Amino acid sequence: MGEGVVAVVRGVFSSLFLVFLLLFSGSSLVKKAWAILDPVDFLALQAVGKSLEDMPGSAFFAGWDFTGDPCGFPGVFCAGDRVVALALGDPRAGSPGLSGRLDPALGRLSALAELSLVPGRVVGSIPDSLSLCSDLRFLALSKNFLSGPIPDSLGSLRRLRTLDLSYNQLSGSIPPSLPSIPAMANLVLCHNRLSGSIPAFPDSAPLLRMDLKHNDLSGPVPALPSALRYLSLSSNRLAGRVDGVLPRLTRLSYLDLSMNQLEGPIPGCVFSFPLQSLQLQRNFFSGPVAPSAAPSEVAIPVVDLSYNRFWGPVPPQLAAVGRLYLNNNRFTGEVPGRLVQGLMGGMQLLYLQHNYLTGVEISPAAAIPVGASLCLQYNCMVPPVDAPCPLKAGTQKTRPTDQCPEWQG
């Protein structure tokens, strides 16, 4: 419905309501039900209520009695005579949620600033009409069964800060219009069936969180804004190098590029970022690992570089990492003494299995604290300590000698 038509409808209904109020001024029912909410919003809420229903065990719509004031309905929040926020479903933990479909009438709530949907079994497409809600700042429709493409028209929502469509069955590409939303700070589209490439974002974008994991996205990691704090692109089919993209993302506190087909070196500056977790496992990354952190040691709680093609010496600067996974690579030489000392001084886990390491600078025997994990098996040495390894490490303690020409075992 166009804005002109909506204005005409709103004017006609307003006139009718004035007549009702004059004719039935003695009726408290009329005063309560009709004198508060804008008529177009009233009809839109009725359409929304008819298109959705409570799952067994939910009683959310039991409170939607249109003989009363809709601004008092569960999940409906008004400012003056307009609906400004709509939270569909019982938000309490364990609520079964709703079923049905999202009605295009949602687009008639033109003053809407926030729209959310609790986890449930709502199916169908995302209404294209949501683009008419020009004041929309928060849109969260996660953990349902929504399908079809993400409407490209959502790019016209210039005030949208958060878009969370995660854990649905959405398909097609990420609309190229989304990066042009000037206020976008949180883009969460993970656990869908999205394909195609990730659109580039301008460096000036205020984007703080991008979560696109568990889709079917392909192509390279594009240019991303330097404001990013959280980036998760794991479990896609992304390919190419990232050493031209990552150095500018100096504010990252979380980075997960795991389970893709990315290749090339990892820039050493990444280890100086304020990261709480660095997940790069199961790619085709290669080259030496050479942290260029300003401090003498990298203090990231979790670093996972496993199942790649990294080679060269194990970097001693990683001794302060809490949980360090370097297994299933091509590291050579001796395990640095600083790393073993780190294990004795607070490191919780050190996995070095399935490399080509030839020794340990100091023997960790009888010095590994209870609760710490060290795995050294299947290298070019006899493990100096019989520590328990994960099942995936296998049962073979050392590599065959023909794979270790420098081994003096």
Side-chain angles (χ1 to χ4, degrees), residues 56-86:
S58 173
F60 176 75
F61 282 118
W64 281 40
D65 179 1
F66 283 92
T67 62
D69 177 11
C71 291
F73 290 0
V76 177
F77 304 90
C78 300
D81 64 345
R82 306 302 309 280
V83 176
V84 295
L86 186 58

Side-chain angles (χ1 to χ4, degrees), residues 75-77 83-88 106 109-117 130 133-141 159-162:
V76 177
F77 304 90
V83 176
V84 295
L86 186 58
L88 295 169
L106 285 166
L109 300 171
S110 57
L112 200 63
E114 297 184 10
L115 173 61
S116 62
L117 175 66
L130 287 176
C133 302
S134 57
D135 287 331
L136 202 60
R137 294 170 173 80
F138 181 87
L139 178 58
L141 308 174
R159 298 183 179 182
L160 190 64
R161 287 185 51 82
T162 296

Side-chain angles (χ1 to χ4, degrees), residues 16-381:
L16 290 174
F17 292 158
L18 287 174
V19 173
F20 284 140
L21 288 173
L22 290 172
L23 292 176
F24 304 106
S25 58
S27 170
S28 61
L29 175 64
V30 172
K31 290 180 180 178
K32 185 176 181 182
W34 296 98
I36 296 178
L37 189 63
D38 179 277
V40 172
D41 285 15
F42 184 94
L43 292 177
L45 286 179
Q46 281 189 320
V48 170
K50 289 178 181 178
S51 68
L52 296 168
E53 61 181 356
D54 285 299
M55 295 277 289
S58 173
F60 176 75
F61 282 118
W64 281 40
D65 179 1
F66 283 92
T67 62
D69 177 11
C71 291
F73 290 0
V76 177
F77 304 90
C78 300
D81 64 345
R82 306 302 309 280
V83 176
V84 295
L86 186 58
L88 295 169
D90 186 344
R92 291 177 295 184
S95 171
L98 308 175
S99 62
R101 296 175 178 269
L102 295 176
D103 196 280
L106 285 166
R108 299 182 205 159
L109 300 171
S110 57
L112 200 63
E114 297 184 10
L115 173 61
S116 62
L117 175 66
V118 299
R121 300 189 67 86
V122 177
V123 300
S125 60
I126 298 172
D128 189 72
S129 60
L130 287 176
S131 62
L132 300 175
C133 302
S134 57
D135 287 331
L136 202 60
R137 294 170 173 80
F138 181 87
L139 178 58
L141 308 174
S142 66
K143 296 182 179 178
N144 279 275
F145 290 84
L146 299 172
S147 58
I150 300 172
D152 186 66
S153 59
L154 294 183
S156 65
L157 298 173
R158 312 308 290 168
R159 298 183 179 182
L160 190 64
R161 287 185 51 82
T162 296
L163 178 61
D164 184 355
L165 307 177
S166 59
Y167 293 90
N168 279 290
Q169 298 175 359
L170 299 170
S171 58
S173 60
I174 299 175
S177 60
L178 295 186
S180 66
I181 299 176
M184 180 71 77
N186 302 287
L187 180 62
V188 185
L189 306 177
C190 61
H191 290 270
N192 277 288
R193 300 172 181 174
L194 300 172
S195 57
S197 60
I198 301 173
F201 280 71
D203 187 58
S204 59
L207 191 66
L208 300 177
R209 181 184 183 95
M210 175 186 278
D211 191 346
L212 307 180
K213 63 177 176 285
H214 287 274
N215 278 287
D216 194 32
L217 299 168
S218 57
V221 178
L224 296 170
S226 56
L228 265 180
R229 304 288 201 280
Y230 182 105
L231 177 61
S232 180
L233 304 178
S234 68
S235 299
N236 281 285
R237 293 190 297 115
L238 301 173
R241 298 168 64 113
V242 297
D243 51 329
V245 178
L246 294 182
R248 58 208 304 261
L249 305 181
T250 57
R251 302 177 185 178
L252 282 176
S253 62
Y254 184 93
L255 175 60
D256 187 354
L257 303 179
S258 63
M259 299 184 185
N260 280 288
Q261 301 166 21
L262 300 167
E263 59 185 13
I266 295 299
C269 61
V270 168
F271 296 95
S272 66
F273 295 171
L275 289 165
Q276 295 299 306
S277 181
L278 175 61
Q279 308 274 348
L280 303 178
Q281 67 270 24
R282 296 186 184 275
N283 278 284
F284 301 126
F285 290 124
S286 60
V289 176
S292 58
S296 58
E297 292 186 340
V298 176
I300 303 172
V302 179
V303 173
D304 194 340
L305 308 182
S306 63
Y307 294 93
N308 279 288
R309 299 173 180 175
F310 292 116
W311 50 265
V314 174
Q317 300 97 316
L318 301 180
V321 170
R323 302 175 68 86
L324 179 59
Y325 302 83
L326 299 179
N327 53 287
N328 295 81
N329 279 286
R330 300 173 181 177
F331 290 111
T332 55
E334 290 192 332
V335 179
R338 282 171 59 188
L339 229 59
V340 180
Q341 290 171 351
L343 193 65
M344 293 182 286
M347 181 185 287
Q348 300 169 342
L349 181 146
L350 176 58
Y351 278 180
L352 294 166
Q353 68 270 20
H354 287 257
N355 280 287
Y356 295 84
L357 301 169
T358 55
V360 181
E361 288 185 3
I362 60 174
S363 174
I368 301 174
V370 176
S373 297
L374 171 65
C375 186
L376 293 168
Q377 72 183 46
Y378 208 71
N379 277 286
C380 294
M381 64 176 171

